[in-house]
Amino acid sequence: MNEIVLGEETDSDGDVGYCSHFELYLSAMKEVGASTRRVDALTAAIRDGQTVDEALAASGAPAHVVRFVKFTNEIASSSPVCDVASVFCFGREDVIPEMFQRLLESFEDSGMQIPRLSYYIRRHIELDGDQHGPLTRQMVKTVCQTEQEVESAIRSARMALEMRIQLWDGVVYALSDR
C-alpha cells in the first residue's frame, strides 16, 4: 500500500520535478482549457472543514460526479477493509489502464497536442498496469479471507464498476449536450 501511495503522491511530473497525480491532473485540465473552478471549490470547502457531501453540494458538481464521489467516499470511510480493497482494485487500479489506453488512442488518432494530459494518462497506464494493479489484486487476496468477505468484495467491486459506468455515461451526455 505504501508503494501505491508513494506513486500517487510523489510521482514524476513529466518534466524535472515531482507532484501528486491530483496536481498533475489539474495541470492537464488547465492545459486543455478545462475549468478547475468546481474542483477548486470542492477542495477549498473540504479544507475549510465541510464534509464531502457539503463540499460537493457547494461545488456545483454535476449529479453523475456527485454520485461517484459520494459512493467512493462512503466505501472508503465506512466499509469493511475487504470492500475498500476490492473497490480500489477492481473499480480503479485494475480498470484504468485499458480505459486510459483507449482514451489515449482516441487523442492520438485525432492529432490532439496535449502533452500534460497525455503524460498523465500514460503514467497511469504504466503504473496501474504494471505495478498498482498487481499490488492491489494481491491486497484483495490478503484481506478477503472468508467466503463472506469474498462475496461482499465482489458485490462492492460490481457496484464500483457500475458507478464508474454511470460517471462516464454522465460525461458523454454532458459533452453531447454542448
Side-chain angles (χ1 to χ4, degrees):
M1 196 63 208
N2 288 339
E3 186 173 327
I4 294 169
V5 171
L6 183 65
E8 295 290 330
E9 295 299 325
T10 60
D11 200 11
S12 167
D13 67 1
D15 291 324
V16 294
Y18 297 91
C19 68
S20 72
H21 285 182
F22 181 67
E23 292 167 315
L24 185 57
Y25 176 72
L26 289 177
S27 173
M29 286 180 66
K30 291 173 185 170
E31 173 190 65
V32 299
S35 172
T36 61
R37 180 182 51 82
R38 289 180 176 155
V39 175
D40 294 338
L42 176 72
T43 56
I46 291 171
R47 269 193 309 274
D48 289 344
Q50 291 185 20
T51 67
V52 171
D53 288 355
E54 292 167 341
L56 280 167
S59 74
H64 59 278
V65 172
V66 170
R67 284 190 303 272
F68 184 80
V69 173
K70 281 185 174 186
F71 168 78
T72 301
N73 185 58
E74 184 177 310
I75 289 290
S77 62
S78 63
S79 293
V81 69
C82 60
D83 292 7
V84 174
S86 180
V87 166
F88 183 56
C89 176
F90 300 111
R92 292 182 183 274
E93 303 302 292
D94 199 55
V95 71
I96 283 177
E98 183 178 343
M99 181 178 69
F100 275 14
Q101 185 62 48
R102 289 181 181 184
L103 191 58
L104 184 62
E105 289 168 3
S106 71
F107 292 157
E108 291 171 348
D109 289 347
S110 69
M112 294 175 76
Q113 299 298 311
I114 46 174
R116 298 295 291 164
L117 184 56
S118 293
Y119 176 78
Y120 171 82
I121 291 170
R122 278 190 187 92
R123 194 67 183 134
H124 276 78
I125 292 167
E126 177 185 332
L127 282 177
D128 295 349
D130 296 340
Q131 297 169 7
H132 296 175
L135 286 172
T136 58
R137 285 190 294 278
Q138 183 58 47
M139 180 176 59
V140 170
K141 287 179 186 176
T142 300
V143 299
C144 296
Q145 294 294 309
T146 69
E147 186 175 329
Q148 182 180 3
E149 288 172 331
V150 169
E151 289 173 5
S152 182
I154 290 169
R155 281 191 303 275
S156 292
R158 284 183 178 146
M159 180 57 91
L161 293 171
E162 179 58 36
M163 295 304 295
R164 186 165 293 281
I165 290 167
Q166 289 178 25
L167 173 69
W168 283 106
D169 285 351
V171 170
V172 168
Y173 179 78
L175 290 174
S176 66
D177 195 35
R178 291 182 172 204

